[in-house]
Amino acid sequence: MKRYLTSSLTAVVVALVCALGAQAQEAESHLRNVPLPAAEVDRIVHTLTAKETQFRAALNQYGFKRDAVVQTIGWGSQITGEYHRVSRFVFDDGGQRFERIIAFPLPTIQEVTISTEDIEDLGGVQTFALEADKLAQYNFTYAGKEKIDELDLYVFDVAPKVLPDPKKSKERFFQGRIWVDDQDLQIVKVKGKGVPEGVQRYPVFETYREQIDGKYWFPTYTYADDQLVFPAGNIVHLRMRITFGNYERYKAKVRIIEDDNVVDQSEPKPTPTPLPPTKKKPPQ
């Protein structure tokens, strides 16, 4: 049976009609203080990091559609600029996944620059939160449990053990909170931001996942509505919405080529030993 957070379905509608505000804060589930032994916390963290690695490997076998919208918001909630990119992530004949842009209108955003790091966040930090090859570089702190819709979830605060200097490294990390299904021990919700920031600023985002093919929790919706305060003192109201769908598992194409000049390399069959001729009896 497919299991999911209904919040991931209703959030799309909510995002289209209003910004996150007091209603969104009220909608958050209440964190329950459910103590767990240290050994159990370690087991959960170890399992979820292993599952996250499996999830990343599985995702590399799926194509999907991504619709990303980034907007700047002015007075009266008016949209002052927009960056909109619709892509389909597909596979070539060699099995390598690549981005095929379906729609990419000329961006009208002027208050901020969509940087290379922003594009990477659209496909990385904001979407999947924890990169498989960096899991050992994070600290996990158990915060309690929450009930969201039909799921009972473990909650962890996550932060990189060492934050790289943005002037010397382009590595991106996630910092924030994750919600882990207590049955599958997979991440189903993420809230946080990409770090380090340097001179650039990144919004706090929420990502919801749904169970695909009855096994893996893949991202289906990411939303952010945040005030970005830059070093120069200017403040930009940024809103972001990313939807993911049409997940389709990649199937390798097999081509059968017929060649009339194929040499039979099978082992030769043994020649049967001829039997001696049968002597006919003379007539009586």
Side-chain angles (χ1 to χ4, degrees):
M1 180 180 294
K2 181 178 179 181
R3 304 173 66 238
Y4 57 87
L5 291 173
T6 57
S7 301
S8 62
L9 304 177
T10 58
V12 177
V13 179
V14 175
L16 293 175
V17 297
C18 66
L20 291 179
Q23 291 181 350
Q25 292 178 356
E26 271 182 34
E28 287 201 9
S29 303
H30 297 288
L31 185 66
R32 307 194 314 271
N33 182 18
V34 180
L36 287 178
E40 178 64 8
V41 172
D42 289 342
R43 184 192 70 84
I44 294 170
V45 170
H46 177 78
T47 303
L48 78 87
T49 53
K51 290 288 185 70
E52 194 72 2
T53 301
Q54 295 171 10
F55 149 73
R56 283 302 188 99
L59 186 65
N60 288 335
Q61 302 175 25
Y62 282 79
F64 57 89
K65 180 182 178 181
R66 184 187 72 191
D67 189 334
V69 179
V70 181
Q71 300 171 330
T72 50
I73 310 299
W75 293 102
S77 297
Q78 295 296 315
I79 298 172
T80 58
E82 182 174 276
Y83 173 99
H84 188 190
R85 183 166 172 163
V86 183
S87 306
R88 177 74 188 170
F89 289 81
V90 296
F91 294 87
D92 59 21
D93 289 339
Q96 300 296 315
R97 190 170 63 189
F98 66 95
E99 179 182 5
R100 178 183 293 161
I101 298 177
I102 300 173
F104 190 20
L106 184 66
T108 57
I109 283 185
Q110 297 182 351
E111 296 178 69
V112 295
T113 301
I114 304 297
S115 66
T116 303
E117 289 79 8
D118 293 321
I119 301 300
E120 290 177 355
D121 276 8
L122 291 179
V125 172
Q126 292 168 347
T127 309
F128 311 120
L130 302 175
E131 296 185 49
D133 60 347
K134 295 181 180 178
L135 290 171
Q137 302 178 47
Y138 285 96
N139 287 321
F140 293 81
T141 303
Y142 174 65
K145 296 196 73 174
E146 283 193 20
K147 181 81 172 180
I148 302 180
D149 300 328
E150 63 176 21
L151 304 180
D152 206 13
L153 309 170
Y154 295 113
V155 183
F156 288 87
D157 290 322
V158 181
K161 294 178 179 179
V162 178
L163 198 61
D165 185 344
K167 296 180 181 179
K168 299 179 181 179
S169 174
K170 293 185 178 181
E171 275 195 291
R172 307 282 296 138
F173 288 88
F174 168 77
Q175 183 171 303
R177 177 165 283 189
I178 62 174
W179 284 256
V180 180
D181 178 46
D182 67 352
Q183 294 184 32
D184 295 338
L185 293 184
Q186 293 191 56
I187 299 173
V188 300
K189 179 185 174 183
V190 169
K191 182 176 182 179
K193 66 190 305 180
V195 292
E197 291 183 309
V199 296
Q200 184 64 288
R201 290 294 180 266
Y202 304 97
V204 173
F205 63 88
E206 288 190 48
T207 293
Y208 291 87
R209 298 183 184 182
E210 291 183 27
Q211 201 173 50
I212 304 298
D213 288 346
K215 187 174 183 181
Y216 297 107
W217 289 85
F218 286 170
T220 53
Y221 182 71
T222 294
Y223 187 75
D225 192 330
D226 202 2
Q227 301 279 349
L228 306 184
V229 181
F230 289 86
N234 55 316
I235 301 175
V236 177
H237 183 184
L238 193 76
R239 185 179 296 165
M240 177 183 68
R241 172 177 51 83
I242 310 173
T243 58
F244 303 84
N246 302 117
Y247 281 100
E248 184 177 3
R249 193 181 184 108
Y250 168 71
K251 296 181 180 179
K253 297 180 180 178
V254 178
R255 294 194 304 167
I256 300 176
I257 302 176
E258 295 184 1
D259 190 345
D260 295 334
N261 298 319
V262 174
V263 178
D264 186 0
Q265 296 181 350
S266 60
E267 295 184 4
K269 297 180 180 179
T271 304
T273 304
L275 297 175
T278 304
K279 295 181 180 182
K280 294 184 179 180
K281 294 182 180 181
Q284 296 295 330

